[in-house]
């Protein structure tokens, strides 16, 4: 029996061969995935349903890990499928949405992680540590940085974090200002120290301080020696080129960077033009200033503070005199955002690693929450320092700047259109629809009117799929086509 949309041709038979690139034995598997620690964590908390989340590069070992872990505990263990939000590279985030759909009590996250705090489910991070040649990495650092008086900050991806202490022991007798960094786990994110505000001032100014020397950047904590500023440090990063390195270089954009890739054993000095990258982001800020309709794209639902930052952005946009709409689109793509052409700029709410999105292919600019705040909050100025974590913009953070309520309108010249624009709405909510106030404006000072998205949609000739109830004729069921689109079975040559 032939079913619809099926074919008997061999070309339609697609097989997915998953090559098991497993480890040599149970000992190596248990060491890499820390099965003993996982089992103890499950037993100590009496979890009944445990979800395992793997990135694509570790799926080959997922079945072996599940089978080995199932033999050690009595809980029901299962593997999560594809992530629900963000783009294809968002496996660094914990997928709480998929876990709650399957009624999981907890999630064990394997592989690289952005260490963003979760909201509801407890999470255990297992980074699946990868090997690093410590002596070779130390030799490469000495060859590219022969100045032993230079303060060097050792940082790494989560999968190579275990090598930071070993590398420090190898080099501590040579470099005078060698500093290690430690991961700041999500459980410690909400713990604010008494001098958190002073840390931010020291970081932004770049001045040395003998009393303030503790910093936390990109979920890494470290302490600098007395008299050494962060801007003087050379960052030695262990890991591959990618989102993590970009996040580090944008956040600490006044530091020099050396990278060492343990897979290829190549060490090089990064030549990213930070000034050029910052100017591109500043261009995004100017686009956000000129926008009349702003779309907030929810790129994650599992990070703590997501609802708070959305409410914060909506308040900023409203006080800046702009219209705001919120979109939950799942995985972000060009085609999805192209359906909302009336939106002038989108704000992506995601984890720090996925916030810096290259929007060159999109029809509208996609900015970060920090860029939107610089564009709308008159109290925050562009200083060159950059924030990728949206939690730094929320109340209680050292970098939080309160929005000025009832701020007066400001007029500025747009760097995009070279026209006069207005930011703010001093009389927006006070003047009702029956207001009798008359204001004489010239064409140069005029601000484009903002239409509701519903009115804009009503003027379209095509409005998407419509049900058209009671207007569609009912037809009898007919047999569909069979075969391939290039040659159906009922077509003759």
């Amino acid at each position: 029996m032939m079913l619809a949309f099926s074919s008997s041709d061999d070309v339609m038979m697609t097989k997915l061969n998953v090559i098991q690139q497993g480890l040599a034995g149970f000992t190596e598997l248990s060491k890499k995935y820390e099965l003993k620690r996982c089992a103890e964590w499950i037993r100590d908390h009496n979890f009944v349903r445990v979800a395992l989340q793997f990135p694509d590069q570790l799926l080959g070992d997922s079945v072996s890990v599940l089978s080995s872990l199932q033999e050690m505990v009595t809980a029901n263990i299962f593997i999560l499928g594809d992530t629900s939000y963000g783009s294809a590279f968002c496996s660094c985030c914990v997928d709480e949405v998929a876990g709650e759909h399957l009624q999981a009590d907890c999630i064990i996250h394997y592989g690289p992680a952005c260490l963003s705090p979760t909201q509801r489910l407890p999470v255990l991070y297992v980074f699946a540590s990868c090997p690093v040649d410590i002596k070779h990495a130390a030799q490469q650092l000495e060859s590219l940085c022969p100045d032993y008086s230079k303060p060097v900050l050792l940082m790494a991806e989560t999968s190579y974090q275990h090598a930071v202490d070993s590398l420090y022991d190898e080099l501590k007798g040579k470099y005078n200002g060698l500093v290690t960094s430690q991961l700041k786990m999500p459980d410690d994110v909400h713990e604010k120290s008494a001098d958190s505000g002073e840390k931010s001032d020291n970081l932004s100014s770049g001045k040395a301080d003998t009393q303030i020397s503790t910093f936390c950047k990109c979920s890494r904590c470290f302490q600098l020696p007395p008299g050494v500023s962060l801007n003087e440090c050379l960052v030695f990063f262990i890991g591959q080129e990618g989102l993590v390195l970009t996040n580090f270089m944008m956040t600490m954009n006044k530091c020099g960077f050396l990278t060492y890739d343990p897979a290829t054993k190549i060490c090089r000095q990064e030549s990213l033009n930070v000034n050029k990258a910052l100017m591109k982001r500043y261009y995004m800020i100017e686009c956000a200033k000129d926008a009349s309709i702003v779309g907030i794209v929810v790129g994650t639902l599992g990070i703590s503070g997501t609802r708070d930052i959305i409410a914060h952005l909506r308040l900023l946009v409203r006080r800046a005199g702009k219209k705001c709409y919120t979109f939950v689109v799942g995985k972000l793509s060009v085609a999805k955002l192209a359906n909302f052409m009336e939106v002038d700029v989108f704000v992506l709410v995601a984890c720090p690693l996925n916030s810096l999105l290259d929007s060159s292919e999109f029809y509208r600019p996609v900015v970060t929450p920090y860029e939107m705040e610089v564009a709308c909050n008159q109290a925050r100025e562009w200083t060159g320092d950059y924030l990728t974590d949206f939690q730094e913009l929320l109340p209680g953070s050292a970098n939080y700047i309160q929005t000025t309520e009832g701020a007066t309108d400001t007029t500025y010249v747009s760097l995009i259109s070279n026209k006069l624009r207005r930011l703010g709405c001093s009389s927006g909510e006070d003047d009702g629809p029956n207001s009798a106030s008359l204001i004489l404006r010239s064409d140069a000072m005029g601000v484009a009117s903002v239409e509701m998205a519903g009115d804009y949609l009503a003027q379209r000739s095509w409005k998407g799929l419509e049900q058209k109830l009671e207007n569609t004729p009912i037809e009898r069921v007919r047999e569909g086509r069979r075969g391939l689109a290039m040659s159906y079975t009922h077509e003759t040559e």
Side-chain angles (χ1 to χ4, degrees):
M1 179 179 179
M2 184 78 64
L3 300 177
F5 305 104
S6 63
S7 175
S8 58
D9 297 334
D10 295 337
V11 71
M12 296 295 293
M13 300 299 295
T14 303
K15 295 183 180 180
L16 180 62
N17 297 324
V18 179
I19 301 177
Q20 179 70 17
Q21 297 179 350
L23 302 175
F26 175 78
T27 303
E28 190 175 355
L29 185 78
S30 177
K31 180 180 179 181
K32 179 175 182 178
Y33 293 98
E34 304 180 35
L35 298 182
K36 183 178 179 181
R37 184 167 72 97
C38 295
E40 293 178 353
W41 185 69
I42 296 174
R43 288 192 295 263
D44 293 342
H45 296 84
N46 297 321
F47 293 129
V48 178
R49 294 181 59 83
V50 180
L52 307 182
Q53 181 178 345
F54 290 86
D56 294 342
Q57 63 269 22
L58 297 180
L59 281 177
D61 296 327
S62 59
V63 177
S64 301
V65 173
L66 186 145
S67 302
S68 302
L69 195 58
Q70 190 67 75
E71 296 177 357
M72 305 172 66
V73 295
T74 58
N76 183 15
I77 306 177
F78 52 90
I79 300 174
L80 291 179
D82 195 11
T83 53
S84 302
Y85 287 87
S87 53
F89 45 75
C90 68
S91 58
C92 61
C93 302
V94 177
D95 193 359
E96 276 193 322
V97 176
E100 288 188 323
H101 285 171
L102 298 175
Q103 300 179 354
D105 299 327
C106 65
I107 297 178
I108 301 180
H109 184 279
Y110 293 96
C114 59
L115 300 179
S116 299
T118 56
Q119 299 185 92
R120 295 171 291 272
L121 296 179
V123 179
L124 177 66
Y125 290 95
V126 179
F127 302 125
S129 300
C130 300
V132 179
D133 191 343
I134 302 298
K135 292 186 177 180
H136 185 267
Q139 294 175 358
Q140 294 296 313
L141 174 59
E142 292 184 64
S143 61
L144 292 181
C145 182
D147 185 8
Y148 294 107
S149 61
K150 180 76 174 179
V152 179
L153 176 59
L154 302 179
M155 308 187 80
E157 292 185 15
T158 53
S159 300
Y160 302 107
Q161 181 64 31
H162 65 95
V164 172
D165 293 336
S166 300
L167 186 60
Y168 175 80
D169 295 335
E170 185 74 17
L171 296 170
K172 63 181 180 180
K174 299 179 181 179
Y175 286 92
N176 298 329
L178 195 63
V179 179
T180 61
S181 61
Q182 303 297 328
L183 296 178
K184 187 173 186 180
M185 303 306 294
D187 294 339
D188 302 330
V189 168
H190 298 288
E191 296 179 3
K192 306 295 182 181
S193 59
D195 57 350
S196 58
E198 296 176 348
K199 294 176 188 178
S200 176
D201 295 339
N202 188 13
L203 177 60
S204 60
S205 63
K207 297 180 180 180
D209 197 319
T210 58
Q211 298 178 352
I212 305 173
S213 57
T214 303
F215 301 89
C216 184
K217 303 300 293 182
C218 304
S219 299
R220 271 75 173 174
C221 297
F222 51 91
Q223 292 183 344
L224 297 181
V228 177
S229 67
L230 181 61
N231 299 340
E232 301 174 359
C233 294
L234 175 68
V235 179
F236 186 70
F237 177 79
I238 305 176
Q240 285 81 25
E241 180 181 0
L243 298 174
V244 179
L245 179 60
T246 302
N247 187 32
F248 279 27
M249 297 186 69
M250 289 294 293
T251 305
M252 298 181 288
N253 50 52
K254 297 181 178 63
C255 299
F257 275 80
L258 293 178
T259 60
Y260 177 79
D261 188 353
T264 60
K265 292 187 176 181
I266 296 177
C267 184
R268 66 180 184 183
Q269 183 175 2
E270 293 298 327
S271 58
L272 174 65
N273 191 342
V274 178
N275 293 330
K276 184 178 180 180
L278 290 176
M279 290 306 299
K280 291 180 61 176
R281 305 314 305 185
Y282 187 75
Y283 172 78
M284 294 295 183
I285 296 175
E286 292 297 323
C287 293
K289 284 184 179 181
D290 286 358
S292 299
I293 300 179
V294 178
I296 300 177
V297 180
V298 183
T300 178
L301 289 177
I303 299 179
S304 178
T306 300
R307 295 184 178 180
D308 298 333
I309 192 62
I310 293 176
H312 179 68
L313 291 174
R314 292 180 66 88
L315 178 63
L316 284 174
V317 172
R318 186 176 72 251
R319 289 182 176 175
K322 307 176 187 295
K323 297 293 183 179
C324 180
Y325 298 94
T326 305
F327 300 94
V328 182
V329 297
K331 289 188 176 181
L332 199 63
S333 66
V334 177
K336 289 180 179 179
L337 296 188
N339 293 323
F340 310 100
M341 293 300 295
E342 57 271 18
V343 177
D344 298 321
V345 66
F346 292 95
V347 187
L348 177 59
V349 178
C351 73
L353 299 185
N354 297 319
S355 295
L356 292 173
L357 183 66
D358 184 10
S359 59
S360 58
E361 298 181 359
F362 290 82
Y363 293 95
R364 292 290 186 267
V366 182
V367 303
T368 65
Y370 171 72
E371 293 166 355
M372 197 68 207
E373 176 160 314
V374 174
C376 297
N377 190 357
Q378 302 179 26
R380 184 181 291 275
E381 299 179 356
W382 173 261
T383 61
D385 296 327
Y386 200 86
L387 300 176
T388 56
D389 190 356
F390 66 77
Q391 296 195 12
E392 296 292 330
L393 308 176
L394 297 176
S397 173
N399 296 291
Y400 170 73
I401 297 179
Q402 185 176 3
T403 307
T404 305
E405 186 174 358
T408 58
D409 295 355
T410 58
T411 304
Y412 65 96
V413 178
S414 172
L415 299 181
I416 306 298
S417 60
N418 292 329
K419 296 181 179 180
L420 289 177
R421 304 286 293 181
R422 188 185 68 176
L423 181 64
C425 50
S426 60
S427 59
E429 297 181 355
D430 297 335
D431 295 343
N434 299 325
S435 175
S437 301
L438 296 178
I439 301 176
L440 180 61
R441 296 179 180 173
S442 62
D443 295 338
M445 293 293 295
V447 180
S449 61
V450 179
E451 299 180 356
M452 297 296 293
D455 298 337
Y456 188 92
L457 180 63
Q459 299 175 2
R460 286 183 173 180
S461 60
W462 185 82
K463 304 176 182 179
L465 300 179
E466 299 176 317
Q467 294 181 350
K468 295 183 180 180
L469 300 177
E470 301 180 358
N471 295 327
T472 304
I474 301 177
E475 299 180 358
R476 297 181 63 87
V477 179
R478 297 180 299 176
E479 184 178 359
R481 298 177 179 179
R482 300 179 182 178
L484 301 177
M486 61 182 297
S487 177
Y488 291 106
T489 55
H490 69 282
E491 296 178 346
T492 58
E493 297 183 358

